[in-house]
Amino acid sequence: MLRVGAVTACVGIFLAGADFAVTALIGNQTARQLGELSSVALRRSEAAIDSAGVILNRLAIAGGMDCGENALQALRLHVYQGTIIKDIRTVDRDGSVACAAYPETLEFDNGWARRDQMFTSADGQLRLFQVEQFTGAAFGVLRDIDAQRSLAAILRIDGNLLDVMPVGLRAESHVTLTLPDGEQVAGYHPDASAKPPAQTLAFSTTSDRYPLQATIHVRPQSLSARHDMAYLLTMLAAGMLGGVFGLLLASYLNRPVDPVAELDRALAGNEFKPYLQPIFSLRTGDVVGCEMLARWEKPDGRLVPPMSFIPLAESSGRIEKLTWQLLSTALRELQPEMRRDKLFKLSVNITPRHLLGDSFIDDLRQVVASSSVSTRQVVLEVTEREELPDLDKATDVVKQLGEFGFRVALDDVGIGHSGLSYIQRLGARTLKIDKFFVDAITRDQSAVVVVQMLVALARELDMSLVAEGIEHQAQVDALIACGVEEGQGYLVSPPLSLPRFKQFLEVRHAVTGAAQIKQPELAA
């Protein structure tokens, strides 16, 4: 792993350096090119305004726009033959329209800009504004005739003018034309419904004649030179050099790592964290407890599942220290909830070897006592997957635990080493039905029979039952029909870290409280 890590790190460093160098070389060139393209878009827009200004100026010199039908007909022909102007209107100083080349376009207007909302050109001859229409924003140019009347042209500035991007960047860019207040009066993208993404690079050019700014918004990744052959060759060479350097470095650093020493380091660093999965009532959904599970949170953020370290912890004798460390943390963090709800129980997995240890009971009592939690709220789950080496001693330990108030549960019932005599002799107070039977209960009648037998056995021995691995409501219904009362599984929640589990409980309490308040109101 060290050799792989060293090589990977060196290759990454060399590639990052090469990428930075190549990017730095082409960055200025790309910015200059896109800046020039935004200038092209702006010049096209200025030309459109110039064209409209010429027409409005010609009409103003002639005394304005004659609202007679013949004059409007001639004007409509003029507008129709053009490519820039969609409509020309005579407007009063307050913005009311006296007449329009195409009166039907007035139906699209949702409002008209006031003069104080318009922006004046550098020579003072024209005013630019935005017209809100239900089909979208339109761009207008206004030219005064006299102190009372003005001419307004509604322009057609669209993709024909703003489509300036090369083919390779067209789909990854947006071109916009905006007024000084930031309002967009025109824009272009091949997909007309698309909007500029949140993260873009912007290249803008501002007009020195009109209050306009053309901006090209480009996705940063679209400017990458990664598809350029020179870039690829450079990165290939950098990767090879990094790999060679990494191998040389690894030859000095590569030493075997002792996995047991790694466990000791993790224990000393409190890297093992308790994760909690709720145990709930099948009928009401109320959370009645939780099972504590171990997770290894590495300093780099990786989460190591229990099967990757629990067997080593057991075989190396570290499981006892690991268990007490996790249990202490869980009891300390859950103490407020356990003291608020005296029926809330925390279950912890105990290996048979740990259960039969000479100081197990004393150590357990000390850990629980330090948390000020009742012993009746702690459940010890002994797995059936591993055979108890000394059943007589185990029976005696379970008896002593019961005398101190602890409850013992037999985990993975139905697939392990135990038989009926084993369950009866051990004296456990809870049976946990293995996920194997829960998975099959909705499709295999034999699984239903097994669960019904376990329910009958639990009632005969005055034991409680918990079903594990519940993922679907159909399984809940089948378990209830068999007589099972409690369960756990992803249907309600996966194992959660302590902070997330406490948030989960807060939400459940809030929902339950709201339901209790609402129920009397409904009765009334």
Side-chain angles (χ1 to χ4, degrees), residues 86-87 89 97 99-112 131-136 138 154:
K86 295 192 293 185
D87 191 17
R89 305 170 181 178
V97 178
C99 60
Y102 289 96
E104 59 270 19
T105 63
L106 300 176
E107 299 177 3
F108 298 125
D109 293 351
N110 288 336
W112 188 263
V131 180
E132 291 296 336
Q133 298 181 330
F134 69 77
T135 56
I154 308 302

Side-chain angles (χ1 to χ4, degrees), residues 59-81:
L59 290 171
I61 293 174
M65 187 170 70
D66 186 351
C67 292
E69 182 57 32
N70 292 335
L72 290 178
Q73 182 65 26
L75 184 60
R76 279 194 288 269
L77 179 61
H78 184 77
V79 172
Y80 176 76
Q81 291 174 340

